[in-house]
């Protein structure tokens, strides 16, 4: 098995290195496929290559001097000579001054081609522009903003996503495994296995992206790293815990591993299946970026699961018992979980389970009240970064002197015969600068009788007011008979993304719940237990979201959340958080067959408490690593998922689920016979001290 995976690794490594080159980060890969803005984007390609303008802003509050204006003219002449990294320097427009007399600011528009390589070269293109314009000084401010400048800053933020997340996640895993195992040798085995799984998954995804039209972007590639590290380490922790138990009962380590896989395997497979199916549900999303994440994440978890039930056990068996040094488990040694913290916790809960689950559920419900502070209405560009890059500073300066929508116009396409009527309808719409309408450079009617033109809005392109303007413009142009007019552009894309995400939230969340419920029903062969587990996970999700909303508003001072924030947090928390309930409930069911449900609950918690807690800490830590990226959306998802996993691990699974199962008793397995019958084999009662056994 090790030789097989070594061969896979040798083939996979060079392919995995190419995954970044296979990423598709153009606008269409993020937009909803059927949206009007997406259709305009595709149709505009018939008129011209897809371009976005980098807007160079020059500003001096006291007014541009003669030297400033001379510098601007020299810069424009230099910019017109640029052609590297997709820059269309010969189409540079400007300078445009804020007022004809005594201007205080000027803006220059430099178009950059956005083809399949556009995302990769947008940052170098902006760097080339900055090399010509400089960064200002002596009272003259020079900034590069607009869609090009902002995209370059986003690109640079994504640039380190692979290496930053990999190192952060790897560091978290190593630290948590060292704390959990207290063995410097044992932690190397799961780390090696999970790295092999990640590289193999990246190679497979690269091949599918190149030859099967699988869409991969920066978002899905980053989340892939977190998922593989988090899920893979979770499965490793569970298998090691069960293997350690069996080593204390059996002399032959091969027999111990076989029994460990036999007993822990169903829980691991069910957990992996839940995550994979939950991720595949994302295929039903309208958002291309969301639907593309589904198969990427599912492939990553599948490969991680495969590696953890084949390569990982094989390495453990090859290394032998010494890998556990210094706490080597020997046959006949005592099982520490039988009298440890979690055993005492289970016994304490068993005394008053109803009061405990009711109090815990009430506390979580109170936490969920923080949802009233949730503002998942989208994040403006100015609020998207945890720092303040040059494009955001430039956007603020630009808004002081020019119409806020400058540089990111509406794009309108219509039939040529009705173009004048459409243009008049656009110009008359509140929120549009009437004199801004016109054909952009290089644009002309296509052969099929269609025409494209642009219009500037008075409000910032990423504002709600601008989205409202798009709605009004669409209503106006759609009313022109036989024009077949459509409205796109950056603001229209944001509006369509908001609508698509709202649709996805209403569709995906119930589907994920249904999938998880079906997996639990098949695994536990019960209806009551799965319904209880689903209820606890939903309550945990609501509490995590409520607490996160409060933290974002009053601690981190974030302006809001992205519209897809609740969906991503829900999918990750439910698909991954249910793992711990699966690990616990399957062990309880196993023990219930031997000693009854209530005793089985206490034993199950004692046996799995430490390993599930460790797994939760690892998963929370890997998602928290998203906070290393300078982007608010990633930081918010990482924080909320990490918090939710901790709640699920430390409170929901250990207290709420345990007390619920203890209170409901054997009926929790209905309609399985465990709900009606005595356990097939009861453990002997402990013999009181001083009294001989009847045996």
């Amino acid at each position: 098995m090790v030789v097989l995976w070594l061969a896979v690794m040798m083939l996979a490594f060079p392919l995995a290195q190419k995954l970044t080159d296979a990423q598709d980060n153009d606008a269409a890969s993020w937009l909803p496929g059927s949206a009007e803005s997406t259709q305009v984007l595709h149709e505009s390609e018939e008129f011209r290559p897809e371009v976005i303008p980098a807007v160079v802003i020059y500003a001096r509050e006291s007014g541009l001097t003669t030297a400033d204006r001379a510098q601007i003219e020299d810069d424009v002449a230099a910019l017109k000579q640029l052609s590297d990294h997709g820059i269309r320097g010969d189409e540079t427009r400007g300078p445009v001054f804020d007022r004809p007399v005594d201007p205080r600011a000027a803006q220059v528009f430099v178009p950059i081609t956005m083809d399949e390589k556009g995302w990769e070269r947008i940052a170098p293109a902006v760097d080339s522009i900055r090399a010509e314009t400089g960064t200002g000084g002596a009272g003259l401010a020079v900034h590069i903003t607009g869609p090009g400048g902002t995209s370059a800053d986003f690109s640079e933020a994504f640039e380190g996503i692979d290496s930053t997340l990999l190192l952060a996640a790897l560091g978290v895993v190593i630290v948590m495994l060292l704390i959990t195992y207290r063995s410097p040798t044992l932690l190397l085995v799961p780390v090696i296995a999970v790295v092999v799984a990640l590289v193999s998954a990246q190679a497979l995804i690269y091949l599918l992206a190149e030859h099967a039209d699988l869409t991969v972007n920066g978002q899905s590639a980053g989340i892939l790293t977190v998922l593989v590290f988090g899920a893979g380490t979770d499965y490793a922790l569970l298998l090691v815990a069960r293997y350690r138990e069996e080593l204390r009962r059996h002399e032959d380590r091969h027999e111990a591993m076989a029994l460990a896989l036999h007993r822990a395997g169903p829980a691991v497979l069910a957990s992996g299946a839940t995550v994979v199916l939950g991720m595949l549900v994302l295929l039903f999303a309208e958002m291309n970026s969301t639907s593309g994440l589904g198969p990427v994440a599912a492939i990553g978890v599948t490969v991680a699961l495969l590696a953890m039930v084949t390569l990982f056990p094989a390495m453990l068996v090859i290394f032998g018992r010494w890998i556990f040094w210094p706490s080597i488990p020997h046959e006949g040694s005592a099982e520490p979980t039988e009298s440890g913290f979690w055993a005492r916790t289970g016994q304490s809960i068993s005394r008053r389970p109803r009061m405990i689950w009711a109090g815990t559920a009430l506390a979580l419900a109170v936490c969920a009240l923080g949802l009233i502070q949730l503002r998942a209405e989208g994040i403006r560009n100015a609020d998207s970064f945890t720092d303040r890059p040059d494009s955001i500073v430039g956007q603020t300066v630009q808004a002081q002197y020019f119409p806020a929508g400058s540089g990111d116009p509406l794009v309108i396409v219509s039939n040529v015969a009705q173009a004048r009527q459409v243009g008049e309808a656009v110009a008359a719409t509140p929120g549009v600068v009437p004199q801004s309408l016109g054909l952009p450079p290089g644009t002309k009617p296509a052969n099929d009788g269609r025409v494209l033109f642009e219009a500037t809005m008075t409000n910032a392109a990423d504002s709600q007011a601008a989205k409202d303007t798009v709605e009004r413009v669409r209503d106006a142009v759609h009313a022109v008979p036989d024009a077949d007019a459509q409205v796109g552009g950056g603001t229209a894309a944001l509006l369509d993304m908001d609508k698509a995400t709202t649709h996805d939230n209403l569709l995906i969340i119930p589907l994920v719940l249904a999938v998880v419920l079906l997996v639990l029903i098949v695994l536990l062969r019960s209806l009551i237990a799965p319904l209880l587990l689903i209820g606890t996970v939903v309550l945990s999700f609501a509490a995590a979201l409520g607490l996160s909303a409060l933290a974002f508003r009053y601690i981190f001072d974030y302006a809001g959340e992205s519209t897809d924030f609740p969906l991503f947090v829900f999918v990750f928390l439910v698909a991954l958080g249910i793992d711990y309930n699966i690990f616990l409930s399957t062990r309880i069911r196993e023990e219930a067959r031997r000693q009854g449900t209530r005793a089985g609950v206490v034993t199950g918690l004692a046996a799995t408490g430490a390993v599930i807690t460790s797994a939760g800490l690892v998963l929370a830590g890997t998602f928290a690593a998203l906070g290393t990226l300078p982007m608010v959306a990633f930081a918010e998802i990482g924080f909320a998922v990490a918090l939710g996993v901790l709640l699920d691990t430390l409170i929901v699974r250990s207290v709420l689920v345990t007390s619920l199962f203890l209170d409901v008793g054997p009926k929790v397995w209905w309609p399985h016979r465990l709900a009606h019958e005595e356990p097939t084999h009861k453990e002997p009662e402990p013999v009181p001290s001083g009294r001989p056994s009847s045996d």
Side-chain angles (χ1 to χ4, degrees):
M1 187 60 65
V2 172
V3 170
L4 174 62
W5 275 102
L6 182 61
V8 169
M9 187 69 173
M10 292 175 65
L11 294 173
F13 188 79
L15 297 175
Q17 305 306 303
K18 300 179 181 179
L19 181 59
T20 301
D21 296 333
Q23 291 181 18
D24 183 3
N25 288 294
D26 62 14
S29 72
W30 296 80
L31 295 175
S34 59
E36 185 170 336
S37 58
T38 309
Q39 296 173 22
V40 171
L41 181 64
H42 290 314
E43 188 171 353
S44 65
E45 293 174 355
E46 300 178 8
F47 296 86
R48 61 182 183 185
E50 182 188 349
V51 296
I52 61 171
V55 182
V56 185
I57 295 292
Y58 300 85
R60 185 185 292 273
E61 191 172 346
S62 59
L64 295 174
T65 65
T66 302
D68 293 338
R69 299 183 69 165
Q71 177 185 334
I72 294 171
E73 293 295 339
D74 290 342
D75 288 351
V76 170
L79 291 173
K80 288 184 176 182
Q81 303 302 314
L82 293 179
S83 59
D84 56 334
H85 307 297
I87 299 174
R88 304 172 71 87
D90 57 334
E91 297 177 11
T92 296
R93 287 182 290 156
V96 177
F97 296 100
D98 63 323
R99 56 192 186 191
V101 179
D102 191 23
R104 299 162 299 168
Q107 55 184 359
V108 178
F109 302 87
V110 185
I112 303 171
T113 303
M114 291 297 291
D115 54 18
E116 66 277 0
K117 297 294 183 181
W119 183 264
E120 298 174 23
R121 63 190 187 187
I122 185 70
V126 170
D127 288 341
S128 292
I129 295 172
R130 185 172 283 112
E132 299 295 338
T133 63
T135 56
L140 178 66
V142 181
H143 304 284
I144 301 179
T145 185
T150 306
S151 297
D153 286 331
F154 275 116
S155 173
E156 290 180 352
F158 272 111
E159 208 170 71
I161 194 169
D162 294 331
S163 58
T164 302
L165 276 183
L166 178 62
L167 293 175
L170 185 60
V172 167
V173 167
I174 290 174
V175 170
M176 291 309 306
L177 289 178
L178 188 58
I179 294 173
T180 301
Y181 292 150
R182 294 185 291 275
S183 169
T185 50
L186 180 58
L187 71 85
L188 295 175
V189 184
V191 167
I192 291 172
V194 80
V195 169
V196 170
L198 177 61
V199 171
S200 302
Q202 289 174 332
L204 179 57
I205 291 168
Y206 165 76
L207 291 174
L208 293 175
E210 285 292 300
H211 305 292
D213 294 326
L214 177 65
T215 299
V216 188
N217 56 30
Q219 174 181 269
S220 56
I223 291 176
L224 170 71
T225 301
V226 172
L227 275 179
V228 171
F229 267 85
T233 308
D234 276 4
Y235 305 147
L237 284 165
L238 186 68
L239 286 170
V240 165
R242 203 58 190 260
Y243 179 47
R244 199 197 300 258
E245 282 186 47
E246 300 301 335
L247 284 175
R248 292 190 173 98
R249 299 171 183 163
H250 303 277
E251 180 181 0
D252 185 356
R253 66 181 187 274
H254 302 85
E255 181 183 6
M257 179 57 77
L259 288 169
L261 282 172
H262 174 70
R263 289 170 177 164
V268 173
L269 292 175
S271 172
T274 303
V275 180
V276 169
L277 293 175
M279 294 298 111
L280 289 178
V281 168
L282 295 178
L283 285 168
F284 294 98
E286 282 191 0
M287 285 287 294
N288 286 344
S289 57
T290 304
S291 62
L293 172 62
V296 171
I299 291 170
V301 174
T302 300
V303 175
L305 178 64
L306 185 62
M308 290 304 159
V309 297
T310 56
L311 173 63
F312 180 60
M315 287 195 296
L316 284 177
V317 171
I318 289 173
F319 286 125
R321 294 176 188 262
W322 71 266
I323 198 70
F324 289 91
W325 181 88
S327 301
I328 300 176
H330 297 286
E331 183 186 11
S333 59
E335 177 55 53
T337 60
E338 293 178 355
S339 58
F341 170 79
W342 292 107
R344 296 192 298 272
T345 300
Q347 292 163 3
S348 299
I349 294 173
S350 66
R351 297 187 184 101
R352 293 182 177 178
R354 185 167 301 178
M355 183 186 73
I356 290 176
W357 75 252
T360 305
L362 179 61
L364 291 171
V366 170
C367 294
L369 293 176
L371 285 170
I372 61 177
Q373 297 290 337
L374 192 68
R375 297 163 295 174
E377 300 170 352
I379 307 176
R380 298 184 60 178
N381 286 337
D383 304 315
S384 295
F385 298 90
T386 56
D387 53 5
R388 192 167 171 80
D390 183 63
S391 65
I392 303 304
V393 177
Q395 181 178 317
T396 303
V397 174
Q398 181 187 31
Q400 294 176 1
Y401 302 103
F402 297 96
S406 299
D408 197 355
L410 292 172
V411 179
I412 303 101
V413 291
S414 74
N415 291 330
V416 173
Q418 290 78 26
R420 180 176 294 277
Q421 294 173 268
V422 171
E424 292 172 352
V426 174
T429 303
V432 174
V433 180
Q435 62 271 25
S436 68
L437 271 72
L439 298 177
T443 303
K444 59 185 178 182
N447 294 331
D448 60 356
R450 300 282 283 173
V451 68
L452 177 149
F453 54 95
E454 297 179 340
T456 300
M457 292 180 289
T458 57
N459 300 106
D462 58 352
S463 66
Q464 184 57 47
K467 295 176 185 177
D468 294 339
T469 299
V470 172
E471 295 273 29
R472 291 191 294 268
V473 171
R474 282 178 170 173
D475 290 340
V477 302
H478 292 169
V480 177
D482 302 321
D484 192 20
Q486 293 181 308
V487 179
T491 306
L494 293 175
L495 176 64
D496 292 338
M497 289 167 68
D498 290 346
K499 291 181 177 179
T501 302
T502 300
H503 164 272
D504 293 345
N505 290 343
L506 296 175
L507 174 66
I508 301 300
I509 289 176
L511 281 178
V512 171
L513 282 176
V515 166
V516 172
L517 180 62
L518 287 175
V519 172
L520 289 173
I521 290 173
V522 172
L523 176 66
L524 300 177
R525 282 161 279 180
S526 162
L527 290 177
I528 303 299
L531 288 172
L532 289 177
L533 294 176
I534 286 291
T536 63
V537 170
V538 171
L539 184 58
S540 174
F541 163 72
L545 218 58
L547 291 175
S548 297
L550 293 172
F552 297 157
R553 183 155 191 170
Y554 297 109
I555 298 177
F556 300 109
D557 195 28
Y558 292 151
E561 297 81 36
S562 61
T563 51
D564 56 10
F565 168 75
L567 175 62
F568 281 131
V569 174
F570 179 85
V571 170
F572 293 137
L573 278 184
V574 173
L576 295 171
I578 202 69
D579 284 3
Y580 309 123
N581 284 332
I582 288 176
F583 296 164
L584 174 61
S585 58
T586 52
R587 186 58 182 263
I588 290 174
R589 190 176 187 279
E590 178 185 333
E591 298 296 334
R593 298 178 64 181
R594 299 192 302 113
Q595 53 182 315
T597 296
R598 288 187 172 89
V601 171
V602 176
T603 303
L605 180 62
T608 62
V611 63
I612 292 178
T613 300
S614 300
L617 292 174
V618 169
L619 187 61
T622 52
F623 267 93
L626 287 172
T628 60
L629 300 175
M631 302 178 68
V632 169
F634 277 90
E636 289 178 336
I637 291 175
F639 179 88
V641 174
L643 177 61
V645 168
L646 291 177
L647 281 177
D648 207 56
T649 304
L650 302 176
I651 297 176
V652 174
R653 182 265 314 166
S654 59
V655 179
L656 184 57
V657 171
T658 300
S659 55
L660 276 171
F661 273 47
L662 282 168
D663 190 25
V664 177
K667 292 180 181 178
V668 78
W669 308 116
W670 185 87
H672 192 269
R673 64 177 181 271
L674 276 176
H676 311 286
E677 298 178 357
E678 290 295 316
T680 57
H681 171 66
K682 282 192 176 182
E683 293 294 310
E685 295 292 332
V687 179
S689 177
R691 191 177 75 183
S693 169
S694 59
D695 291 338

